[in-house]
Amino acid sequence: MAGFRSLAREVRNPRNVAAQRRTCLRKCLERFAPYGHRATWHHLCERAGIGTEDRHPDPARLVAALEELEEARAVWLAYDAEFAARRRREKHEGVRQPSALDDWHRLTWGGRGVAWCDDPLVHPSAPLAEVLRSLIRALESEPGDSCPVCGGPRLVWRDDLEHEPRSGPVCTSCGILVPLPVLTPGAVTRARRARREAVGAAAAAAPR
C-alpha cells in the first residue's frame, strides 16, 4: 500500500492525467484526514476551488489542495512526535496510568479525525494547519469552556457519531467533535443539557 508521501508525488507528477492525480489526492486522505475523509475532501475542494465531483480538475488546484494538507500533516506529526516523547519520559519516571488525553490520542492515531466533523458539509473554514495549531494549543493548555478551534460557545452532546468516540460534544458553529480533555466539567455538563433540551423540544414539536 502506497504511503502518504509517495501518493503526494503522484499528485504532483505531470505525466499523470488529472483524474489519476485526483485519485491520488483522495488516497492521501486515507492516511491523513483531520476532519474525516469526506469532510476533509469537501474542505480542500472549497479552499482550492475544485468541484467535489469534478473528475478532471485543474492540476494546479489539486497541488494547492495537497500543499494545504501537507502543511497540516507536518503540524500534526510534530505534535505526535512530542506526545510520544513525553509518554516515554513519563513511563521512564514510573507514570504508567494513561490520562484522558492518552485515551483520546489513541483514537486519533495517525491524525485521522483529530477534529472530526460528522457532517461533511460543516467544518471549519480556516486553513487546516491553523485549525490544528489551535487544537494543539488547547490540548497543551488548561481546559476551557468553548470550542478550541472557532471559539464558539455552544456545544451539544451527540450520541450517534460515525467515528470513535461515538459520542461527545460537537461545536454547533464549526462542526468539530471537541476532545473531552480540552473542556471543563461545566462545559461538558452544559453540552449534555443542550442535548436533552434539543430532544425535549423535538418531542414537543412532533405531531401527536
Side-chain angles (χ1 to χ4, degrees):
M1 180 181 293
F4 183 95
R5 285 184 292 182
S6 61
L7 288 167
R9 285 194 294 271
E10 293 306 309
V11 176
R12 290 190 169 92
N13 189 343
R15 293 191 298 272
N16 292 335
V17 299
Q20 289 175 303
R21 297 167 79 167
R22 176 187 184 275
T23 296
C24 289
L25 180 59
R26 291 297 298 261
K27 287 184 177 180
C28 283
L29 299 183
E30 296 173 8
R31 281 72 177 170
F32 180 74
Y35 302 155
H37 191 287
R38 293 186 300 161
T40 304
W41 176 248
H42 189 269
H43 167 87
L44 291 174
C45 287
E46 278 195 337
R47 298 256 318 152
I50 300 170
T52 55
E53 300 301 325
D54 185 355
R55 301 294 175 179
H56 302 281
D58 180 352
R61 294 181 185 274
L62 288 173
V63 172
L66 173 64
E67 288 174 347
E68 178 173 347
L69 188 65
E70 287 176 322
E71 182 184 5
R73 182 171 179 267
V75 169
W76 185 254
L77 289 179
Y79 169 75
D80 223 17
E82 174 54 33
F83 182 88
R86 178 182 65 79
R87 285 299 295 136
R88 286 194 297 271
R89 290 194 300 270
E90 289 176 346
K91 289 179 179 180
H92 181 72
E93 294 166 2
V95 180
R96 298 287 177 174
Q97 185 64 33
S99 65
L101 179 56
D102 293 298
D103 292 339
W104 174 83
H105 196 273
R106 176 177 51 80
L107 293 174
T108 57
W109 184 86
R112 289 186 288 270
V114 295
W116 176 261
C117 297
D118 216 54
D119 184 341
L121 304 183
V122 181
H123 46 74
S125 59
L128 284 173
E130 182 179 318
V131 169
L132 292 185
R133 289 188 186 102
S134 296
L135 183 60
I136 289 168
R137 281 195 296 271
L139 291 168
E140 295 176 339
S141 304
E142 292 298 314
D145 294 316
S146 59
C147 174
V149 168
C150 72
R154 183 168 170 76
L155 308 175
V156 176
W157 191 271
R158 290 273 305 276
D159 290 314
D160 54 352
L161 301 174
E162 297 181 7
H163 179 69
E164 291 293 345
R166 296 291 179 179
S167 61
V170 172
C171 175
T172 60
S173 296
C174 71
I176 74 159
L177 171 63
V178 180
L180 284 176
V182 311
L183 295 174
T184 63
V188 175
T189 298
R190 287 190 291 276
R192 290 183 181 276
R193 185 186 305 132
R195 168 67 175 175
R196 291 194 296 270
E197 290 172 353
V199 171
R208 298 177 182 278

